Structure formats: structure tokens, C-alpha cells
Amino acid sequence: MGAWTAGLRGSRLGEGWQGVKELKYGKSDTFCEFLTHLERGEPVVLRGMGQAERWSALKVCTPSGLKKLVSHDCHKRSIGNLRVDVALNVEERSGCTKKARVRLRDFVHKLHACDLEHGGKSVSKDNDMGYLKQIQCDRIFGDTKELLDPVKTLWPDAICPTGYFWAGPSGCTTGCHSDDEKNILVQLYGKKRVTLVPEAYKSYLYTNSKYDSGTTCCDVDIENPDLHKHPLFKKVIAAGAVRTVTLDAGDVLYIPKNVFHQVTSETISVSMNFF
């Protein structure tokens, strides 16, 4: 158990909370400090890594860049015609999961039009568009090493990490859940808000049986909880055990395995994550 969660096993909930450390990428001791947090099982943010490393993904993975990709396909099969599922509700919570199957080209064109209309600023969620979630990156981009390689640099023990692509308008939410693998979230366009709760609070998060054994999903909205419906969450609030961090394009967040997290797009947003 990492120090971040072990400290919560004290005489009162919340004792020993370490918060989410933020590091400025590019300083001489940043990499060593990042590895220290990784080894301890503590969440940590690297600010401005994408700009410092000049990731081409910061240009390709914008609404306009994605529009060019799906419109001028140089691959043997058309990426634009790829059929993808978009989420129309918060899938991680109990109840019916609502999805729509669309062509990637149609989704990207809607995202681009929304971006032009609102200039990337926060707008109400376009329910008709949906949320493109957890699509394997190689289905769209092929080798992501040409775009960015955060895993090789930041995650030395990762042999064959799997990358996933996420895109959608503001308001899109991935409900509270935990994963049984280490997770690196890379923000490429817009802003995403990530709210975290340590594993020690699992019994207060109203877990459900959705998804597979590698993911534990929760019914409680840890950002805006309904305390009448989920009264046990009051203990998490009272302990001060909820931490929130906002990611901008070029930022990287390391989420240790089994740490609960909820993710919301504050603006039109494009990101990748790696397990």
C-alpha cells in the first residue's frame, strides 16, 4: 500500500492525506521526483510536458487536426468511416447504459463545428454528440509514438502499454471508478477536471457491479453527491479526502492503481490514457 493511502488508516479518516503533487516539467529533479511518487503509489501531475517535448499530438489531436485526419485519410482503409460507440450517459453508474454507434468522421465534424462556434470555451454538453470513450489509439492513429511517448519516459517498467483515446464536448463525464492498473492521463486539448478519492474510502462510495473485474465503478457522484441517496459519502467529505486537479493541454496526470477517480471535461476536450 502506498504512502498516499496508508496514511489514511490512522485513528481518523483523512489522517496523513498527501494531496496531489504538481511538478513543473523540465526542471532537473522533476523526473526523479516523479518516480518517487510513482513508487509510493501517489498521484502526481506534470505540468507542461507536451510543450516541453514538442508533442505533435498537440496539433494533431485538436478538433481541426482530427478533422484533417478523418478527411484526408492516407491509410489503406478509411479512418473516417470507422464505426465507433459514443456514450450518451454516465456509464459507470447503475442503470441502463446508453450508446450510439456513429462514423468517426461524423463525430469529429460535430466536435469541430462546436469548437468553431464556442472557441473551445465551456459550453453545455451537446447530448446529440455524445462522448467518444476509451477507443484504442492504434485504431485511429496507428503508432502513437509518432505523436507522443509519455509512457517510455515516465513509466520505465511498462513493457507494452495500451493507449486509449477520449474526445467530447464540455460536460462529458466518466463516473467515479478505480482501475487495477497504473494509469497515465495525457491532456491534449482543452481542460479536464479529475477528482480523486483514495482506495481507503471504497466502502463509502457505493460500488456497483458494472464492467469487469479490473474496474470498480461507483454510483455516487463525488463532485456533486446526493447525500440523501448516498449518506455514507458524508464521511469522505468530513475527512477532507476529496482532491481535484484540472489538466490543461500538455499536462500529464499519474493515477495509481485502485485510486478512485471521476473525470469531467470542462471544455471541449481531447485526451489519451495509458495502462
Side-chain angles (χ1 to χ4, degrees):
M1 181 183 300
W4 192 66
T5 55
L8 300 171
R9 299 293 189 180
S11 59
R12 61 186 178 86
L13 290 174
E15 184 177 347
W17 174 271
Q18 299 298 314
V20 181
K21 182 69 174 180
E22 297 192 19
L23 305 175
K24 178 65 176 177
Y25 186 80
K27 292 185 178 180
S28 59
D29 59 347
T30 296
F31 183 62
C32 290
E33 192 171 352
F34 175 86
L35 289 181
T36 298
H37 289 285
L38 188 148
E39 291 169 359
R40 290 176 178 173
E42 299 171 351
V44 57
V45 178
L46 279 177
R47 296 290 186 190
M49 182 180 180
Q51 289 81 1
E53 294 290 341
R54 298 182 180 180
W55 289 341
S56 62
L58 293 179
K59 294 182 178 179
V60 174
C61 295
T62 64
S64 59
L66 292 170
K67 183 181 178 183
K68 290 179 182 177
L69 181 69
V70 298
S71 300
H72 302 90
D73 190 5
C74 59
H75 295 263
K76 291 182 179 179
R77 66 182 180 83
S78 174
I79 294 174
N81 287 329
L82 180 68
R83 294 283 178 171
V84 295
D85 291 327
V86 294
L88 301 178
N89 66 345
V90 180
E91 299 180 306
E92 291 73 22
R93 296 170 192 159
S94 295
C96 179
T97 296
K98 299 178 181 179
K99 290 180 178 285
R101 174 150 286 199
V102 300
R103 290 192 311 170
L104 181 60
R105 179 184 292 109
D106 296 336
F107 176 85
V108 168
H109 282 192
K110 282 187 177 182
L111 192 71
H112 181 254
C114 184
D115 189 55
L116 288 179
E117 182 179 356
H118 300 285
K121 296 180 180 179
S122 179
V123 294
S124 298
K125 180 178 175 182
D126 182 349
N127 291 320
D128 180 62
M129 190 186 307
Y131 188 16
L132 184 62
K133 297 179 58 178
Q134 206 165 350
I135 304 298
Q136 281 194 273
C137 292
D138 58 9
R139 293 183 65 194
I140 301 173
F141 304 103
D143 189 358
T144 55
K145 289 183 179 180
E146 297 180 2
L147 298 173
L148 72 166
D149 192 5
V151 177
K152 183 178 179 181
T153 304
L154 302 175
W155 204 340
D157 60 346
I159 298 174
C160 188
T162 302
Y164 295 95
F165 182 76
W166 308 70
S170 66
C172 288
T173 297
T174 302
C176 182
H177 69 286
S178 68
D179 302 298
D180 64 357
E181 298 178 273
K182 302 172 184 177
N183 185 358
I184 287 182
L185 174 59
V186 181
Q187 188 64 16
L188 299 172
Y189 185 81
K191 293 178 179 288
K192 264 191 172 176
R193 184 174 64 251
V194 185
T195 303
L196 305 101
V197 173
E199 181 188 6
Y201 295 91
K202 179 178 179 179
S203 58
Y204 308 112
L205 300 180
Y206 296 86
T207 59
N208 59 49
S209 59
K210 295 192 85 171
Y211 292 145
D212 56 33
S213 59
T215 300
T216 300
C217 295
C218 306
D219 285 335
V220 64
D221 180 342
I222 62 175
E223 287 193 338
N224 298 290
D226 183 338
L227 297 179
H228 293 288
K229 190 174 182 180
H230 302 122
L232 291 178
F233 193 71
K234 292 178 183 179
K235 295 186 177 182
V236 184
I237 297 173
V242 182
R243 287 294 183 270
T244 300
V245 62
T246 299
L247 303 179
D248 293 298
D251 292 344
V252 176
L253 169 65
Y254 169 68
I255 305 173
K257 66 179 182 179
N258 299 324
V259 168
F260 288 89
H261 51 287
Q262 180 168 312
V263 185
T264 300
S265 299
E266 291 191 352
T267 67
I268 293 172
S269 171
V270 180
S271 59
M272 293 183 187
N273 85 293
F274 296 85
F275 289 117

